[in-house]
Amino acid sequence: MGCRQAAAIGGCVLLLAACGGEEPVETAAAYRDAPRLTLVEERRFCTDELLPECQLDGRTSVNVAPDGGAFIWNPSGPIARFDSTGAVAARYGRPGEGPGEYRMVYSVHAEPDGRVVLYDFGRPGRVVFAADGTPLVTRLDAPDFGTRDLRADARGFVVLREPPGAVGDSVEGEIRIIRDTLPPIVVAALPLRGTNDSAGMARLPGFFGDVVRWAVESDSSALVATGPTLRVTRHFADGRVAAVVDAPTVGNRAVTSAEVEAERVRQLGLRPPMPGDQERLAQRAGRSATVHQFAGALRALGDGAFLLRERAVELDS
């Protein structure tokens, strides 16, 4: 699928280019036979771990900045833009309730005119800055997504819309993929029909327990990947859908008993033993013993590529 660029988080933050074959992957065999990807480091950020902006954790998000740098932030701050050399180019706001301050930021992006916009999910609203970090305006007129549920990530939002109804009603709902801009753009819509349960919800079972892996393709379409086998579909803002990759046997490699045992040893070594550990691990091994589950290990990259990771047991190549 050509060269792709992605922001990844580790002990430091890197921009990587993954280059493979140019032909689209249509089958499991083609997927397995494709040239091995080569990762090439293009940028390195956060080499100085003494900087507050570089004290990263599992909540850290990254968006690529227009100048070849990156926005790096935790939801409660700090929020900064690094330039292409890896230096801090600007800092944006601070936690608080006043102008230019925020509670819980889940998305950061730059508008075409250079303004930097934080989506403050804690109030909610937008906090807008000049490119150099000067506060411009705090807008508490958050868009009405008409949501029953919403998940935010560095690229925007996955929204579940459902009309109200009584228990047992058949309702027409919709999953919307929304790109975080001013104003937000509905990139794709995934219509769905369901029956309201006792909680008055008709959502897809487990939908928000395993958030849709998506990547913006344009202002009117997005690519969506689902598991446990590899399926990538293109969804449009008008609700149309087209298959891109359908490889039903990808991810079906059997897990060996040696892999299950290695995972058990790894898990028990992560922390002191607790009551019920052995039982929980036995249950996980039982679920893992048949096939890999790609769904928990797909990551949508901002340029329309998907990263698939395979681990010996339970997760995710």
Side-chain angles (χ1 to χ4, degrees), residues 168-195:
D169 283 355
S170 177
V171 297
E172 290 284 352
E174 187 176 67
I175 299 165
R176 288 190 169 188
I177 295 174
I178 299 175
R179 186 174 180 180
D180 185 29
T181 61
L182 280 178
I185 298 172
V186 177
V187 172
L190 293 66
L192 59 95
R193 181 190 295 272
T195 302

Side-chain angles (χ1 to χ4, degrees), residues 32-240:
R32 291 195 178 98
D33 295 340
R36 185 175 297 274
L37 297 178
T38 301
L39 299 181
V40 179
E41 180 178 321
E42 292 190 345
R43 304 280 191 274
R44 181 177 290 265
F45 304 99
C46 279
T47 55
D48 183 358
E49 295 184 359
L50 295 179
L51 289 172
E53 294 83 2
C54 294
Q55 294 170 13
L56 312 177
D57 59 30
R59 304 174 306 150
T60 302
S61 293
V62 176
N63 261 353
V64 176
D67 59 358
F71 296 105
I72 303 175
W73 76 95
N74 282 338
S76 57
I79 299 167
R81 177 172 58 85
F82 292 74
D83 63 23
S84 60
T85 71
V88 176
R91 295 177 171 88
Y92 302 98
R94 61 184 180 183
E97 304 290 333
E101 297 177 340
Y102 51 81
R103 291 181 186 172
M104 192 64 60
V105 173
Y106 281 110
S107 188
V108 177
H109 77 276
E111 288 287 284
D113 60 10
R115 292 176 300 163
V116 173
V117 183
L118 319 183
Y119 182 79
D120 185 358
F121 192 68
R123 284 197 265 192
R126 297 297 203 278
V127 187
V128 185
F129 297 85
D132 65 0
T134 302
L136 298 179
V137 65
T138 298
R139 299 174 46 164
L140 299 182
D141 54 338
D144 179 11
F145 294 134
T147 62
R148 179 62 68 89
D149 205 346
L150 177 148
R151 288 293 174 92
D153 69 9
R155 296 170 301 280
F157 315 97
V158 177
V159 172
L160 176 61
R161 296 168 55 93
E162 285 182 1
V167 176
D169 283 355
S170 177
V171 297
E172 290 284 352
E174 187 176 67
I175 299 165
R176 288 190 169 188
I177 295 174
I178 299 175
R179 186 174 180 180
D180 185 29
T181 61
L182 280 178
I185 298 172
V186 177
V187 172
L190 293 66
L192 59 95
R193 181 190 295 272
T195 302
N196 275 353
D197 60 18
S198 58
M201 299 182 182
R203 69 184 59 184
L204 294 177
F207 176 76
F208 279 105
D210 182 25
V211 181
V212 168
R213 270 63 179 181
W214 62 277
V216 169
E217 187 177 49
S218 71
D219 284 351
S220 62
S221 68
L223 297 175
V224 174
T226 54
T229 56
L230 178 62
R231 178 173 172 80
V232 178
T233 48
R234 177 176 289 113
H235 294 263
F236 298 89
D238 61 7
R240 289 179 297 124

Side-chain angles (χ1 to χ4, degrees), residues 4 58 79 114 122 146 164 235 278 290 296 307:
R4 304 297 190 191
I79 299 167
H235 294 263
Q278 294 288 357
T290 307
L307 176 67

